[in-house]
Amino acid sequence: MSNQYNQSRRGFLKTASLLAGSSLLAPNLMAQTLLTSKKPTDVDLDTLATWRISGAHWGAFRAKVVANRLVEVEPFEFDQHPTRILDAVPGIIYSPARVRYPLVRLDWYKNREKSNTAERGDNRFIRVSWDEALDLIYEELERIQTTYGPWALHTGNVGWRSVGQVHSCGNHMLRAIAMHGNSVGTAGDYSTGAGQVIMPYILGSTEVYSQGTSWDIILQESKVIVIWGSDLVKNLQVGWNTETHEAYAYLEKLKEKVKKGDIRVICIDPVKSMTANYLESEHLYVNPMTDLAVMFGIAHTLWKEKLYDQAFLETYTLGFDEFLPYLKGESEDMIEKTPEWAESISSVPAEVIRQLARDMANNRTQMMLGWSMQRQQHGEQPYWMAAIIAAMLGQIGLPGGGISYSHHYSSVGVSSSGASMPGAFPLNLDFGREPKYPNTDYKGYANFIPVSRVVDALLEPGKEINYNGNTIKLAPYKMAIFSGCNQWHRQQDRNKMKRAYRNLETVVAVDYNWTATCRFADIVLPACTPYERNDLDVYGTYSNRGVIAMQKLIDPLYYSKTDFDIWREFSKRLGREREYTQDKNEMQWIEKLYMDCYNENYPKGFYMPSFREFWQKGYVLFPEGKPWVRHADFRDDPEVNALGTPSGFIEIYSRTIASYGYEDCKGHPIWMEKAERSHGGPKSDQYPLWMQSAHPDNRLHSQGCEATKMRESYAIAGREPVFISPEDADERGIQHGDLVRVYNDRGQLLAGANVNDNFPKGVVRIFEGAWYSPLDETIGSIDTYGDPNTLTMDVGTSSLSQAPSANTCQVEIEKFIGVAPSPTGFTGPIMVDVEGNEVVEI
Ligand SMILES: Nc1nc2c(c(=O)[nH]1)N[C@H]1C(S)=C(S)[C@@H](COP(=O)(O)OP(=O)(O)OC[C@H]3O[C@@H](n4cnc5c(=O)[nH]c(N)nc54)[C@H](O)[C@@H]3O)O[C@H]1N2
Ligand SMILES: Nc1nc2c(c(=O)[nH]1)N[C@H]1C(S)=C(S)[C@@H](COP(=O)(O)OP(=O)(O)OC[C@H]3O[C@@H](n4cnc5c(=O)[nH]c(N)nc54)[C@H](O)[C@@H]3O)O[C@H]1N2
Ligand SMILES: [Mo]
């Protein structure tokens, strides 16, 4: 009994490798947990083993620890749909890429800010003591603040740092640095940069991070679900907090309803997604980045055939009349946006578009958009246009109707329990004392940069850019500190980054594994993993399902420390350690956050056990809350429950946006050609393949790529797979399993060909997060493992949101002939002494 889960999982892994050519199936849904308790497999170890509980973005789990070593990981028994990503945990902890010591780049060690920055990335590092490393950082911060000022320091915004409310590493870094002086931060994020800026003008909130209509209601009321550029089965594996995977139970029910014909699901995607395959849904292949044209075709049909809800438009929206001339071909380009016009761009047949419009109008229809289509040039436009279609359909605020931009994320749609969740270690100084350098003179530069423009700031010092109605003068910062993000994964265009980084005097990275961000830094501090410290986390980002204990599994390996301890040590150099910690250690902070939560929940009728009991048991669970319909209150009373838009109504036409006068984001959605596009678009003659970098099935971004066994289970020819259609592969003489070179004007990489039926001609995919592994530090050097950001374009989506456009990217692929270099990324730094001689450290 105890081994049934493990057996089925091992069985699954075997199947997975046999199915390498079709790895876009939805295996996780089929893995039913039969686990009721954790039982050691090996009798000899029984008496020595302890079981602990912890959490991660990819779920809560129980871990078996013997003699300070993690030997087994099992999903938390509440989790009915655990993900395979969990298998990466041991490989993350025991990765050959662990950062073992505080390290300083050789030339920086000798020459400090006058070092040869073109050497950055040559991977030669010197081991130093913790004291020396922290002193160096402290001295650098002093130098930056006194020679330049706050504009010269960039504190890289926090990415997908590990879960855990006490140790959240970005908070620690930012809090400690803020005690010393001010810096340049970032605005927005890589996920939804365009969506989160445009949607407040249109629907009054970011929508991308909003709770959505409950799945219960959708399953009961919706007749048609249009899943537009979203892969729920793949992307619900992870959540911002410890993920419960409850949404999968609803996907199982949806599958049944689709089978019975009770609900029609239509996926619109250039790729047949895991979701489409799992649900066996209908599927419309659309040319990449042309969804907007299809949306106009739908709107045109709704208008022409009088299928739109005039009363809804009059009561709840503004600006349809200003939008209509564009649809009719009476303004701007003077082209009528007919389904035929849409077909000529998108390749979706006009008659299919017409029928889709009719089906959406005649049935209760829930639209669900993913985020990928706003992570491309002009990514604001399809988001806006989809809201206009939803408004024309008039179902916004009805059960099972309207539009959602978040059902693929963090189990949105699972009703919230209503309980309060534990807070976090405070980000800011909340005791009213100034930083050591209170200087706030940014010399006219902005004190933040739209997050993906951070490389432009280095290459075009002082450049003024538009951003959301403002002008931003980019600070040409001299020093950058990164913690809890992998800058050399998330940012686009590696060779541009290499050029830009040469203008940086000092770069600090804090991480537990040797990412390319460490390789391209000057000072690297070894954090420990979340499994080497105690913490607690929110269980269920939107469902507020409960609180999960994160019990330290093993002691920190090598010379690593918790982020808390790292920055506490730093704060000593300011003489402010007690302020930093507020006189509490790790366990006292955990208890405080738990008890604050306990006290908030008590009057609400959510009773929690004592802290001791919680810590021993490992979790608190709250029952699922009441089902809920997004925008229902607005529909009930648009005056009282006005939206957060400037007018309080849905803005089909936005006067505010129009008033900014941007060419690339006007007062209503407009079809604009992209800088590059497949299927006959710009650059497609030279680089005919559109490369999308969707989010990885088997990882969380770059996290887990360093877990050797896990990586080897999906790598092809020892590299990250590039998914390619049989037709495109044939044309190039490429076979499944071949080593290939993928390239464009911006860069080149090696990858392994995964010839795959889910991909149509002209469309390829490399999952984001593949570890950047350049052959050497020079510009143009080949990436030996397959990071798609070696090839992507680094331009802002538009003047409005300046968000990343990673999915606007054309490439060509050829079979690699010759002797291929081994991947360089997974073995950590080259350790040297001050003379540059290689040394072996123990
Ligand atoms: N081409 C392309 N690029 C993309 C995307 C895309 O779709 N295409 N997607 C973008 C999106 S949506 C996102 S969200 C970003 C994600 O970008 P990131 O958030 O930068 O990605 P992660 O790989 O999760 O990086 C987290 C890093 O934090 C480290 N870390 C984890 N826990 C701790 C800790 O406790 N302490 C310390 N000190 N470090 C820790 C991990 O080891 C890892 O190196 O990528 C973006 N980049
Ligand atoms: N397993 C796993 N899950 C994750 C993450 C992860 O790293 N791993 N990361 C999380 C994070 S931080 C984020 S931001 C979200 C990302 O969520 P999304 O951005 O929604 O996810 P993607 O996987 O990039 O793309 C989703 C789908 O969009 C399709 N698509 C791409 N371009 C187009 C287009 O032009 N038109 C249409 N119609 N479809 C298109 C892709 O083919 C894919 O099927 O995922 C989250 N979930
Ligand atoms: Mo993201």
Side-chain angles (χ1 to χ4, degrees):
M1 177 63 195
S2 68
N3 279 332
Q4 282 194 20
Y5 176 79
N6 283 334
Q7 273 162 11
S8 66
R9 197 151 50 137
R10 263 181 235 120
F12 157 65
L13 283 175
K14 241 190 272 152
T15 336
S17 55
L18 290 176
L19 286 177
S22 55
S23 63
L24 286 177
L25 291 171
N28 302 309
L29 288 190
M30 292 169 243
Q32 285 292 333
T33 313
L34 300 169
L35 194 79
T36 48
S37 63
K38 19 25 178 182
K39 288 186 188 152
T41 43
D42 193 323
V43 181
D44 287 347
L45 297 178
D46 241 12
T47 46
L48 302 170
T50 49
W51 281 90
R52 302 197 178 131
I53 191 164
S54 189
H57 291 292
W58 45 83
F61 62 93
R62 295 195 182 268
K64 181 178 168 184
V65 179
V66 179
N68 201 30
R69 196 172 166 89
L70 176 70
V71 294
E72 200 179 321
V73 167
E74 285 187 351
F76 176 38
E77 52 276 16
F78 178 82
D79 189 341
Q80 292 305 298
H81 299 87
T83 149
R84 200 187 157 218
I85 300 176
L86 197 51
D87 288 345
V89 168
I92 289 173
I93 298 176
Y94 300 110
S95 171
R98 274 300 289 260
V99 186
R100 297 164 190 228
Y101 329 97
L103 292 157
V104 180
R105 183 169 67 83
L106 173 62
D107 198 53
W108 195 94
Y109 191 79
K110 294 198 280 194
N111 297 307
R112 296 258 185 132
E113 76 273 16
K114 296 192 179 60
S115 79
N116 177 2
T117 54
E119 280 184 18
R120 218 184 257 123
D122 74 4
N123 213 18
R124 290 184 300 166
F125 282 81
I126 291 178
R127 178 180 172 180
V128 298
S129 70
W130 267 107
D131 272 340
E132 189 173 2
L134 289 171
D135 285 345
L136 287 173
I137 293 173
Y138 190 79
E139 287 162 23
E140 275 304 281
L141 289 171
E142 290 277 309
R143 184 181 68 78
I144 291 286
Q145 292 290 352
T146 50
T147 30
Y148 304 113
W151 63 266
L153 176 65
H154 172 48
T155 37
N157 133 297
V158 181
W160 277 73
R161 88 293 177 261
S162 296
V163 304
Q165 295 293 89
V166 172
H167 285 286
S168 190
C169 60
N171 285 21
H172 286 281
M173 183 268 278
L174 292 171
R175 179 178 168 84
I177 300 297
M179 282 185 154
H180 183 268
N182 299 310
S183 64
V184 177
T186 54
D189 60 37
Y190 288 82
S191 311
T192 64
Q196 65 182 255
V197 172
I198 185 109
M199 291 322 291
Y201 291 101
I202 315 305
L203 289 177
S205 85
T206 72
E207 295 300 310
V208 289
Y209 296 134
S210 307
Q211 175 62 295
T213 299
S214 306
W215 278 107
D216 279 320
I217 292 173
I218 291 174
L219 289 170
Q220 217 175 316
E221 304 290 341
S222 305
K223 287 287 164 269
V224 172
I225 301 178
V226 179
I227 298 182
W228 207 318
S230 187
D231 198 348
L232 293 82
V233 169
K234 172 168 70 62
N235 288 2
L236 287 167
Q237 292 179 83
V238 306
W240 179 248
N241 291 109
T242 299
E243 181 51 48
T244 63
H245 299 124
E246 287 167 280
Y248 285 96
Y250 295 104
L251 291 181
E252 286 177 336
K253 289 184 192 156
L254 180 57
K255 184 181 167 77
E256 275 170 38
K257 295 219 168 208
V258 170
K259 203 167 188 168
K260 282 199 217 138
D262 295 345
I263 296 180
R264 275 180 71 194
V265 173
I266 301 152
C267 290
I268 307 178
D269 200 305
V271 176
K272 196 151 182 236
S273 65
M274 286 174 70
T275 307
N277 280 314
Y278 172 72
L279 295 175
E280 298 179 58
S281 68
E282 297 165 51
H283 188 258
L284 292 184
Y285 286 101
V286 59
N287 287 344
M289 299 187 288
T290 65
D291 305 274
L292 184 64
V294 179
M295 290 172 185
F296 278 124
I298 292 174
H300 189 275
T301 307
L302 295 177
W303 165 71
K304 193 93 186 174
E305 301 187 5
K306 299 203 167 40
L307 293 169
Y308 66 101
D309 188 334
Q310 182 69 35
F312 185 89
L313 291 183
E314 277 166 16
T315 319
Y316 299 100
T317 78
L318 281 185
F320 187 66
D321 292 344
E322 280 127 310
F323 163 76
L324 200 54
Y326 181 72
L327 194 66
K328 287 158 74 177
E330 291 166 2
S331 71
E332 298 281 336
D333 58 13
M334 308 303 278
I335 297 170
E336 193 172 349
K337 307 297 172 307
T338 61
E340 280 72 20
W341 168 82
E343 175 177 347
S344 72
I345 295 171
S346 68
S347 294
V348 182
E351 218 22 66
V352 172
I353 296 175
R354 278 203 180 85
Q355 194 53 47
L356 179 60
R358 292 172 195 140
D359 292 343
M360 289 169 84
N362 294 328
N363 292 286
R364 183 59 59 82
T365 300
Q366 176 73 52
M367 295 166 74
M368 291 182 178
L369 273 76
W371 295 344
S372 215
M373 78 173 87
Q374 54 88 58
R375 224 176 289 114
Q376 50 185 241
Q377 221 186 350
H378 314 137
E380 298 83 4
Q381 305 297 312
Y383 261 39
W384 192 346
M385 192 57 212
I388 295 177
I389 294 180
M392 289 176 81
L393 292 171
Q395 301 183 19
I396 292 175
L398 290 181
I403 187 160
S404 143
Y405 298 83
S406 56
H407 271 90
H408 62 288
Y409 181 63
S410 292
S411 283
V412 157
V414 175
S415 311
S416 171
S417 69
S420 294
M421 292 290 108
F425 185 81
L427 178 61
N428 293 314
L429 300 180
D430 44 13
F431 26 76
R433 241 183 94 180
E434 288 200 314
K436 178 171 179 194
Y437 294 92
N439 182 6
T440 51
D441 182 5
Y442 284 78
K443 302 272 183 245
Y445 300 120
N447 64 358
F448 72 92
I449 300 174
V451 72
S452 70
R453 302 295 92 222
V454 291
V455 173
D456 286 352
L458 294 170
L459 289 174
E460 298 172 90
K463 183 184 178 184
E464 295 195 353
I465 61 165
N466 291 317
Y467 173 69
N468 204 9
N470 300 300
T471 306
I472 300 285
K473 192 170 176 188
L474 299 178
Y477 53 95
K478 303 289 178 195
M479 175 173 179
I481 307 182
F482 299 102
S483 179
C485 62
N486 184 355
Q487 188 65 8
W488 286 71
H489 136 58
R490 66 181 179 175
Q491 174 68 22
Q492 282 62 60
D493 197 343
R494 293 290 166 262
N495 287 310
K496 181 175 168 185
M497 283 179 79
K498 277 186 180 170
R499 267 189 291 126
Y501 257 50
R502 292 184 177 175
N503 298 333
L504 275 172
E505 293 172 357
T506 303
V507 183
V508 177
V510 190
D511 209 313
Y512 50 74
N513 280 328
W514 193 257
T515 61
T517 301
C518 299
R519 176 168 168 177
F520 283 85
D522 300 311
I523 304 172
V524 181
L525 303 180
C528 65
T529 69
Y531 318 112
E532 296 157 324
R533 61 199 189 200
N534 292 303
D535 211 326
L536 87 176
D537 198 39
V538 173
Y539 192 42
T541 313
Y542 289 88
S543 64
N544 291 12
R545 178 66 54 242
V547 185
I548 199 96
M550 296 175 68
Q551 298 160 344
K552 180 171 167 179
L553 308 182
I554 58 167
D555 292 328
L557 290 183
Y558 309 105
Y559 289 76
S560 66
K561 285 181 195 278
T562 68
D563 293 275
F564 188 159
D565 278 343
I566 293 172
W567 295 105
R568 185 180 57 76
E569 289 288 336
F570 172 89
S571 69
K572 274 189 198 164
R573 285 158 173 77
L574 284 158
R576 298 172 78 160
E577 184 188 4
R578 289 184 63 185
E579 286 171 61
Y580 183 80
T581 62
Q582 295 189 349
D583 261 343
K584 283 181 211 53
N585 64 22
E586 177 189 71
M587 274 320 281
Q588 287 166 331
W589 266 107
I590 298 171
E591 183 164 357
K592 174 190 158 41
L593 296 183
Y594 181 86
M595 287 315 295
D596 287 350
C597 178
Y598 177 105
N599 290 328
E600 261 185 59
N601 275 324
Y602 189 82
K604 292 201 209 170
F606 293 104
Y607 304 117
M608 294 165 69
S610 72
F611 178 69
R612 255 182 96 95
E613 249 177 276
F614 156 73
W615 193 254
Q616 270 163 10
K617 189 171 173 210
Y619 60 90
V620 180
L621 294 174
F622 301 112
E624 195 165 329
K626 279 205 194 79
W628 183 80
V629 177
R630 176 140 198 86
H631 293 132
D633 53 348
F634 169 65
R635 192 178 183 104
D636 283 351
D637 191 336
E639 307 275 317
V640 174
N641 306 312
L643 297 179
T645 57
S647 63
F649 295 104
I650 297 169
E651 299 210 0
I652 291 175
Y653 180 90
S654 166
R655 281 190 197 177
T656 316
I657 295 179
S659 76
Y660 299 154
Y662 298 150
E663 269 310 301
D664 50 6
C665 193
K666 297 193 173 182
H668 60 73
I670 285 192
W671 165 257
M672 286 169 276
E673 189 48 279
K674 316 294 161 204
E676 37 196 80
R677 188 166 69 78
S678 60
H679 300 85
K683 287 250 181 145
S684 62
D685 44 351
Q686 200 184 354
Y687 297 113
L689 304 170
W690 174 66
M691 186 196 77
Q692 58 158 241
S693 38
H695 286 232
D697 179 21
N698 293 315
R699 295 189 293 263
L700 170 61
H701 313 296
S702 73
Q703 296 184 53
C705 195
E706 72 272 42
T708 313
K709 261 199 209 155
M710 184 66 153
R711 184 176 70 251
E712 285 170 352
S713 74
Y714 57 79
I716 291 186
R719 326 286 156 152
E720 184 70 11
V722 56
F723 296 86
I724 182 170
S725 70
E727 218 176 327
D728 282 320
D730 262 6
E731 273 178 21
R732 291 164 179 76
I734 292 167
Q735 292 187 344
H736 187 84
D738 279 351
L739 184 66
V740 297
R741 189 176 78 99
V742 189
Y743 62 96
N744 60 18
D745 290 343
R746 290 179 289 268
Q748 51 169 342
L749 59 80
L750 293 177
N754 187 327
V755 181
N756 194 297
D757 281 336
N758 292 308
F759 291 76
K761 187 170 158 55
V763 172
V764 302
R765 168 187 287 179
I766 302 180
F767 283 129
E768 56 104 290
W771 273 33
Y772 182 52
S773 307
L775 194 57
D776 57 46
E777 69 281 11
T778 59
I779 289 161
S781 150
I782 195 162
D783 171 9
T784 58
Y785 180 70
D787 169 9
N789 280 324
T790 307
L791 304 166
T792 50
M793 187 168 68
D794 177 31
V795 297
T797 49
S798 79
S799 303
L800 186 80
S801 37
Q802 297 289 358
S805 305
N807 282 321
T808 301
C809 178
Q810 293 297 117
V811 302
E812 181 51 294
I813 301 188
E814 64 182 20
K815 191 168 162 153
F816 183 84
I817 315 277
V819 183
S822 303
T824 64
F826 302 108
T827 45
I830 301 162
M831 305 285 288
V832 294
D833 61 19
V834 242
E835 272 83 50
N837 302 312
E838 266 190 62
V839 294
V840 180
E841 287 285 352
I842 342 153

